[in-house]
Amino acid sequence: MEESKLKADIAENWNAESMYYDSHVSHGIATEEEKRLWMEAFNAVLPKNDNLRILDVGCGTGAMGLILSEMGHEVSGIDLSEGMMGVGRRKAAEHDLSMTFTEGDAEYPPFSDDTFDVVVNRHLLWTLPHPATALENWFRITKPGGVVLVIDGVWDDGSSITKARRKVSDMLAHSLEAHPHGKRSYSEEVRAALPHKGGVSPDVVRTYFAETGLEEVACLDLKQITENQCRQLPWYRKIMKMSSYYLIAGSKPICVEEEGVQQT
C-alpha cells in the first residue's frame, strides 16, 4: 500500500472517531483519581526538572499531554488527525493549558536533533507501520539525558479465548452504545501494514529501546490505572481484559560513542 495513502487512511479513521473518542474509558481521563495516578506515574520517570520541554507524538485528543501541561511542563503535540487535535485544542482552551497541537507524522516528527527533554506517546505503537523508524527519530530529537516514554499494552494476544471475549464484548457494545469504539475500523489493507495491531508487549518495546540506544530502561506496571478504569467500564466492556499495560522509560545517553570517538 502506498505510504501516503496508508497514512491518509489512518488519519481518516481517527477523524471519524474524534468527536466521541474521549467518551470511552481508557481514552479520555474519566476521573480525578485517574489523573492523579497518571501524574504519579510520570513523576516516577520524568527528569527531575521543572518546565521540561515535552513532545507528545500521536497525541490524539491530548490526554497525556494535557496532564503534563497541567504539571507545569511545556508540551507540544503532533498527530495526523486534525479532528482529534481539534478536540484537544478545545480542552486546552477550556482548562487554560498551554499545550499546542500541530499536524505531524509520529514516525517522522519534524524537529531538529536534541530538541526535547521528553518524548511521550500512549497507545501509538500498534498503529505505526514503521515502529523501529519512529523510535530512531524519537531518540534523535530527544536531548542527551532526556527520556522517551512509551505507554502501551496487549489487548489481543491472538488466543481463541481472547477472540471470543472480544467478539461478545464488541457485539454488545454495538447493540448498546450510540458510538462504540472501533465502529469504524481499519481496512484489511491497512491492518496488514501494521506489525503490532494487537498491541505491543513490554519485551518488544525493550528490544526497540536497546536497538535505538536508549539506556537505564525502567518499566512501570500501570495496574492501579487499569483497576481505576475498570471501575468506570460498563459490564459488557469488562469481558475484554488487557494482558499487560505498562509505561516504559529509557534515557538517551549523555555521552555517545560514534565511530570510536567519544562525544559529550
Side-chain angles (χ1 to χ4, degrees), residues 22-40 63-64 67 70 91 95 122 224-233:
D22 276 357
S23 67
H24 297 288
V25 177
S26 84
H27 296 166
I29 305 302
T31 66
E32 286 297 314
E33 181 186 0
E34 182 183 354
K35 182 166 70 174
R36 177 185 60 77
L37 290 170
W38 281 114
M39 288 182 174
E40 290 177 358
M64 298 294 95
I67 290 175
E70 188 173 340
K91 292 195 294 184
H95 297 283
R122 183 187 72 151
Q224 283 187 297
I225 289 174
T226 56
E227 289 175 347
N228 175 274
Q229 293 170 345
C230 189
R231 291 195 291 271
Q232 318 306 318
L233 287 170

Side-chain angles (χ1 to χ4, degrees), residues 34 39 52 56 63 77 107 114 120 127 144 157 166 190 193 237:
E34 182 183 354
M39 288 182 174
L52 295 167
D56 185 354
E107 293 187 333
D114 306 337
V120 62
T127 192
D157 58 9
R166 177 174 292 278
V190 170
R237 287 293 189 186

Side-chain angles (χ1 to χ4, degrees), residues 32-77:
E32 286 297 314
E33 181 186 0
E34 182 183 354
K35 182 166 70 174
R36 177 185 60 77
L37 290 170
W38 281 114
M39 288 182 174
E40 290 177 358
F42 287 135
N43 279 328
V45 296
L46 289 175
K48 304 305 179 185
N49 297 318
D50 296 330
N51 195 29
L52 295 167
R53 189 174 186 194
I54 298 177
L55 177 66
D56 185 354
V57 284
C59 64
T61 62
M64 298 294 95
L66 290 170
I67 290 175
L68 290 161
S69 181
E70 188 173 340
M71 292 170 68
H73 303 299
E74 179 187 344
V75 184
S76 304

